[in-house]
């Protein structure tokens, strides 16, 4: 890698969000077993590892092979210690992942949902409405359906439902129709993120187009959620995680939009009603102004945590 490439790589490394709070809530025991369900660039994992003794264990999961490869090359030496396991997988399969490693119960589990800055800025996968790349949006490149494929196979009604439900987009109907019209006009060729942004701009009212939030933000969120089946993975993953939790284990989740946060809040409150856990964040923790200033992607973060009874 030349100097310029190294600088670019450095710029897009993900800045961990609410890291100090994460470590406080995890209350790491040096010989405990911890699971980082969303490895990303390893921002949480490396700090958890620093607090573990050689008898402690950390399992870090990510469904993106690029994330596993990036962390493997960045932290070669740390990985030699043998108590840090990187697993390419979906956190909805946390139970099988932990069983395969011959581990039983765990002392702490953390989730930092969504995408890493590297995936957005450097992934060439069409996650960003500020770039022009083929609309892929798969976090796991082994999945069969890219966002551009989904736009082609879904009917206008189905597309409207996806954009409405997963993006809470009030102009879903117009956008879905605009997409279908564009595909008909363009022989159903693959669509890029830039082309989708243009379709959205053309099909929403001028006030919305010029508003403070980007008009494509909600549609992009919706497609990403649909392609990666994010909401189902989250609810299934949380429920499997509970069965692995030792007494006193904390489960900590950072979410970035209201659909994710609602699931976390509801699952935690169901567990509390059943007497399984105590919710230890009555109100979600949010980043301080200074963190948001230095890392704008932290602005929508909400942290919720429970402790197993
Ligand atoms: C916000 S980033 C995590 C950043 C990390 N905390 C850090 O500080 O570097 C989220 C990561 O979770 C991964 N991810 C999203 N959904 C997942 C799932 N269901 N199972 C496993 N990994 C997932 C994404 O591929 C991405 O790398």
């Amino acid at each position: 890698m030349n100097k310029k490439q190294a600088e670019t790589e450095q710029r897009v490394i993900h800045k961990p969000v609410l890291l100090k709070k994460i470590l406080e809530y995890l209350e790491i025991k040096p010989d405990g077993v911890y699971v980082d369900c969303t490895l990303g660039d390893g921002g949480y994992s490396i700090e958890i590892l620093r607090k573990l003794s050689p008898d402690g264990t950390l399992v870090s999961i990510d469904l993106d092979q690029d994330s596993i490869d990036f962390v493997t090359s960045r932290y070669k030496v740390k990985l030699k210690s043998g108590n840090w396991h990187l697993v390419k997988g979906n956190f909805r399969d946390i139970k099988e992942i932990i069983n395969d490693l011959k581990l039983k119960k765990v002392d702490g589990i953390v989730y930092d949902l969504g995408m890493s800055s590297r995936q957005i800025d450097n992934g060439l996968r069409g996650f960003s409405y500020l770039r022009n790349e083929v609309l892929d949006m798969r976090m796991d490149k082994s999945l069969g359906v890219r966002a551009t494929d989904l736009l082609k196979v879904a009917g206008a009604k189905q597309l409207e439902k996806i954009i409405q439900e997963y993006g809470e987009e009030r102009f879903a109907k117009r956008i879905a129709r605009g997409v279908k019209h564009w595909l008909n006009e363009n022989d159903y060729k693959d669509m890029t993120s830039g082309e989708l942004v243009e379709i959205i701009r053309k099909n929403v009212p001028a006030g919305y187009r010029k508003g403070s939030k980007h008009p494509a933000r909600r549609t992009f969120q919706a497609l990403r959620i649909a392609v990666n089946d994010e909401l189902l993975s989250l609810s299934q993953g949380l429920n499997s995680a509970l069965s692995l939790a030792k007494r006193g284990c904390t489960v900590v989740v950072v979410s970035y939009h209201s659909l994710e946060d609602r699931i976390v809040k509801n699952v935690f409150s169901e567990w509390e009603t059943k007497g399984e856990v105590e919710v230890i964040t009555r109100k979600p923790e949010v980043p301080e102004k200074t963190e948001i200033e230095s890392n704008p992607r932290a602005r929508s973060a909400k942290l919720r945590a429970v402790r197993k009874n």
Side-chain angles (χ1 to χ4, degrees), residues 14-17 36-44 61-64 67 89-92 112-116 119 139 233 256:
H14 184 87
K15 269 196 197 161
V17 174
D36 178 355
C37 285
T38 49
L39 170 70
D41 286 359
Y44 290 176
I61 305 169
D62 204 297
L63 45 69
D64 186 352
S67 157
N90 192 313
F91 58 59
R92 65 154 52 125
D112 182 18
L113 301 172
M115 300 158 297
S116 69
Q119 285 172 320
M139 294 188 199
S233 293
Y256 294 88

Side-chain angles (χ1 to χ4, degrees), residues 215-226:
R217 193 175 55 101
R218 291 176 174 277
T219 304
F220 272 62
Q221 172 185 305
L223 292 177
R224 200 197 83 204
I225 290 177

